[in-house]
Amino acid sequence: MSSHSTISRRGFGKLAAASLLLPAALPSLAATRPRTSPMKHLIKPPRLNKGDLVGLIAPGGYTSDASIQKAVKNIEALGFRVKPGNYLREVWGNYGGTVAARIADLHGMVRDPEVKAIWAIRGGSGCISLLKHLDFELIRKHPKILLGYSDITALHLAIHRHAGVVSFHGPVASSTPSDYSNQHMLAVLMDPRASYTIPMSAENARRALQEPQYAIRTVHGGVATGPLMGGNLSLVSALAGTPYAADFRDSLLFIEEVNEEPYRIDRWMTQLDLAVGLDKAAGVMIGICENCGPQGQGSSLSLDETLDLHLQSLHVPAVSGYSFGHIRNQFTIPVGVRATLDTAAQTLTLLEPAVS
């Protein structure tokens, strides 16, 4: 485990002053100039094997000793070994350390030849601040599995566009694992197959009887094929118009959100429609959006009504309530890998291995 101790709130003033010196002290902060267009040739990272070393980092929000213990237990229960990042326990505001510290941990795991995968302990916020400091040449030269969701979306989209390496929208290391999540995560990361079909979670279907947001809705039926592109809606929207934006034209756009009111969902989806055009996607797949209904006593559209504002006018397959998002039973989505969405079967089929 790292020897760094958690930084108290009282220490923020001193830390803020010291952080001005960190970029000079930490060697990995130099940025790689982003490409003007996405990589055409994707690199698949090497597959995971039992006993491999997994790097544990906090590239977004700060974590706690309890979460670290839970994450280590989760990783070891899957048959892997754990290497905590040097700055895993850092706290700077609500972030897992300064930008320089978080970049140093990420690049350090990429450089370490013994580390075979990099697993984010949580999402939170702050990954967007790392993007202009990412060394894309280093990441492309040493491709490794990067796993996580929520705020980790920013890293997935930037790495796909400027390093051309497949990364994985899936559970964070401190998630509470389920058999469904582990099964489909390990299949994608450890067992490269020419084709792999993922059904939706039966447990989520049972929850839908009491919790409507878990219900699968088919707005437009059909079969659609394309590379998988997307992630957390607020991050996909925030990156629109930047050099790290998701180009989801002719792709299967997948998005999810949590703890946001319908008017924000509407704003962000409108932004994506204005920036790229939702009708340019080959298909749209929306995950389970927990706690995204109207809040308070004011008038509001429902979540489904808000989604339908953007999905009903499309002429491509469009669904909601699929088994990914801020939920326990979620499948892992390899960003950039070609797949087929079949709304009648309620499946997603990967059409190529996600790892080499």
Side-chain angles (χ1 to χ4, degrees):
M1 287 289 184
S2 166
S3 61
H4 288 263
S5 60
T6 301
I7 299 170
S8 70
R9 296 293 191 275
R10 292 191 298 272
F12 283 167
K14 293 180 180 179
L15 179 58
S19 69
L20 297 177
L21 303 177
L22 270 176
L26 298 176
S28 303
L29 201 62
T32 300
R33 184 181 299 276
R35 294 167 54 86
T36 56
S37 60
M39 289 280 187
K40 299 300 182 183
H41 172 65
L42 279 183
I43 293 178
K44 277 94 176 272
R47 60 179 288 183
L48 265 182
N49 293 288
K50 291 290 185 181
D52 278 348
L53 187 64
V54 174
L56 183 63
I57 63 172
Y62 70 90
T63 189
S64 66
D65 284 343
S67 290
I68 293 172
Q69 292 171 8
K70 181 180 180 181
V72 169
K73 183 179 179 180
N74 287 344
I75 296 169
E76 291 179 342
L78 295 173
F80 307 117
R81 297 175 293 124
V82 185
K83 177 182 178 178
N86 291 330
Y87 300 94
L88 179 60
R89 285 181 165 83
E90 295 291 337
V91 180
W92 189 55
N94 66 316
Y95 307 121
T98 62
V99 170
R102 287 178 280 146
I103 280 288
D105 262 1
L106 176 56
H107 286 167
M109 294 300 183
V110 174
R111 289 191 184 94
D112 188 335
E114 294 187 5
V115 172
K116 304 305 180 184
I118 305 168
W119 203 344
I121 193 168
R122 61 165 298 192
S125 61
C127 284
I128 196 170
S129 299
L130 307 186
L131 301 190
K132 68 179 182 179
H133 305 295
L134 289 174
D135 188 337
F136 296 111
E137 293 179 5
L138 174 72
I139 293 168
R140 188 168 175 85
K141 184 178 179 181
H142 303 285
K144 295 183 181 181
I145 290 167
L146 173 66
L147 178 63
Y149 74 112
S150 192
D151 197 56
I152 313 304
T153 293
L155 300 179
H156 292 318
L157 296 181
I159 287 171
H160 173 269
R161 181 155 189 160
H162 299 298
V165 176
V166 174
S167 62
F168 299 85
H169 179 281
V172 293
S174 62
S175 294
T176 299
S178 72
D179 291 342
Y180 175 87
S181 293
N182 283 344
Q183 173 190 345
H184 296 295
M185 178 182 72
L186 295 178
V188 170
L189 301 182
M190 300 181 69
D191 185 13
R193 308 180 196 180
S195 177
Y196 180 67
T197 296
I198 303 170
M200 297 305 105
S201 163
E203 176 60 27
N204 290 343
R206 286 190 287 270
R207 290 190 67 170
L209 299 176
Q210 302 295 328
E211 301 172 79
Q213 71 270 26
Y214 280 82
I216 292 176
R217 291 194 316 127
T218 299
V219 179
H220 292 295
V223 176
T225 296
L228 290 157
M229 187 59 53
N232 179 257
L233 175 59
S234 64
L235 270 299
V236 179
S237 171
L239 291 175
T242 76
Y244 311 98
D247 183 358
F248 54 83
R249 293 172 296 177
D250 300 318
S251 299
L252 294 181
L253 173 63
F254 69 93
I255 50 179
E256 59 82 27
E257 196 46 85
V258 67
N259 298 333
E260 298 290 355
E261 293 192 56
Y263 77 89
R264 291 195 180 100
I265 304 292
D266 179 34
R267 178 192 299 155
W268 292 329
M269 293 193 72
T270 299
Q271 185 174 353
L272 292 182
D273 196 27
L274 294 172
V276 179
L278 294 174
D279 59 344
K280 302 295 194 301
V284 179
M285 181 172 63
I286 296 176
I288 294 170
C289 299
E290 280 277 50
N291 195 33
C292 288
Q295 306 293 321
Q297 301 301 315
S299 178
S300 172
L301 296 176
S302 69
L303 173 62
D304 286 347
E305 289 172 330
T306 300
L307 295 176
D308 286 351
L309 281 176
H310 303 278
L311 301 182
Q312 283 184 345
S313 62
L314 303 181
H315 300 284
V316 298
V319 296
S320 67
Y322 271 42
S323 298
F324 63 94
H326 287 66
I327 55 174
R328 186 181 182 204
N329 293 285
Q330 62 171 292
F331 61 89
T332 294
I333 304 174
V335 178
V337 164
R338 286 183 60 79
T340 292
L341 168 67
D342 186 329
T343 68
Q346 296 183 350
T347 58
L348 182 74
T349 298
L350 307 182
L351 301 178
E352 57 181 316
V355 291
S356 60

